[in-house]
């Protein structure tokens, strides 16, 4: 199941998957058609997403802050998918549709994993005669970032004579 929209390469579909207590569940069918479902991967914008989920009268669902969110773009012609957004639920708001018993609307606010990494301060340390890749790996390993990502391959980068971090930046 996906929600069609006009993408960069023509009509594509968006698929919403939420990892609920360790289990990935396709929640595309809950996306509210009359609300703005949006996300951004623009550098420097902290990767916000606004996800409106509608529940019909009698349905129950209670998304938790901290649950991972995955948004996939589906190419309708080739039936291939690409993950275009990964983040976690940072806030949620419950409201009633038309102030009646027609149902409720959860509006989830998510932040991309990249945004969460800049919230952890760099530990105090001095690096001498190391390349930037070594420094980055050292800082990453020392921080225990609260995101489910592995570091992967890091290029060596330029050699730095001496660099000191005071723990406040």
């Amino acid at each position: 199941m996906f929600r069609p929209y006009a993408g960069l390469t023509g009509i594509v579909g968006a698929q919403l998957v939420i990892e609920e207590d360790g289990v990935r569940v396709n929640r595309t069918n809950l996306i509210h058609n009359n609300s703005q479902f949006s996300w951004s991967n623009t550098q420097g914008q902290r990767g916000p997403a606004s996800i409106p989920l509608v529940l019909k009268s009698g349905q129950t669902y209670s998304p938790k802050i901290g649950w991972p969110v995955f948004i996939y773009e589906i190419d309708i012609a080739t039936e291939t998918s690409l993950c275009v957004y990964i983040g976690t639920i940072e806030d949620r708001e419950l409201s009633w549709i038309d102030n009646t018993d027609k149902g409720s609307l959860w509006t989830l606010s998510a932040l991309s994993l990249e945004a969460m990494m800049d919230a952890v301060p760099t530990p105090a340390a001095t690096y001498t005669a190391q390349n930037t890749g070594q420094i980055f790996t050292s800082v990453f390993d020392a921080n225990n970032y609260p995101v489910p990502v592995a570091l992967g391959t890091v290029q060596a980068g330029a050699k730095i004579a001496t660099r000191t971090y005071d723990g406040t930046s």
Side-chain angles (χ1 to χ4, degrees), residues 116-163:
M116 287 175 244
M117 296 178 89
D118 69 11
V120 179
T122 303
T126 298
Y127 299 94
T128 303
Q130 292 187 8
N131 63 44
T132 54
Q134 291 169 313
I135 295 170
F136 175 77
T137 301
S138 175
V139 170
F140 184 90
D141 290 345
N143 270 310
N144 295 322
Y145 288 103
V147 295
V149 296
L151 191 54
T153 303
V154 177
Q155 294 180 351
K159 183 153 293 238
I160 303 294
T162 299
R163 174 68 168 130

Side-chain angles (χ1 to χ4, degrees), residues 6-169:
L8 295 176
T9 59
I11 300 298
V12 295
Q15 184 179 63
L16 173 67
V17 175
I18 299 176
E19 189 170 310
E20 302 169 3
D21 296 325
V23 178
R24 291 187 182 186
V25 180
N26 185 339
R27 293 294 183 186
T28 307
N29 63 324
L30 295 180
I31 297 172
H32 189 238
N33 288 327
N34 296 328
S35 296
Q36 182 69 35
F37 171 44
S38 62
W39 66 92
S40 173
N41 289 323
T42 304
Q43 189 173 6
Q45 298 300 311
R46 300 191 49 78
S50 178
I51 306 164
L53 304 179
V54 67
L55 301 178
K56 294 180 175 67
S57 183
Q59 278 185 307
T60 58
Y61 181 63
S62 185
K64 296 179 184 173
I65 291 176
W67 276 355
V69 173
F70 304 84
I71 300 172
Y72 295 88
E73 191 170 86
I74 311 296
D75 183 316
I76 296 172
T78 63
E79 296 183 9
T80 57
S81 66
L82 173 68
C83 186
V84 294
Y85 182 90
I86 302 174
T88 60
I89 299 170
E90 296 299 307
D91 196 14
R92 62 190 189 151
E93 181 181 326
L94 180 63
S95 59
W96 299 104
I97 297 174
D98 299 329
N99 291 321
T100 66
D101 195 28
K102 291 181 182 176
S104 56
L105 179 69
W106 277 111
T107 302
L108 307 180
S109 297
L111 280 180
S112 69
L113 297 183
E114 293 89 347
M116 287 175 244
M117 296 178 89
D118 69 11
V120 179
T122 303
T126 298
Y127 299 94
T128 303
Q130 292 187 8
N131 63 44
T132 54
Q134 291 169 313
I135 295 170
F136 175 77
T137 301
S138 175
V139 170
F140 184 90
D141 290 345
N143 270 310
N144 295 322
Y145 288 103
V147 295
V149 296
L151 191 54
T153 303
V154 177
Q155 294 180 351
K159 183 153 293 238
I160 303 294
T162 299
R163 174 68 168 130
T164 300
Y165 293 98
D166 61 8
T168 61
S169 56

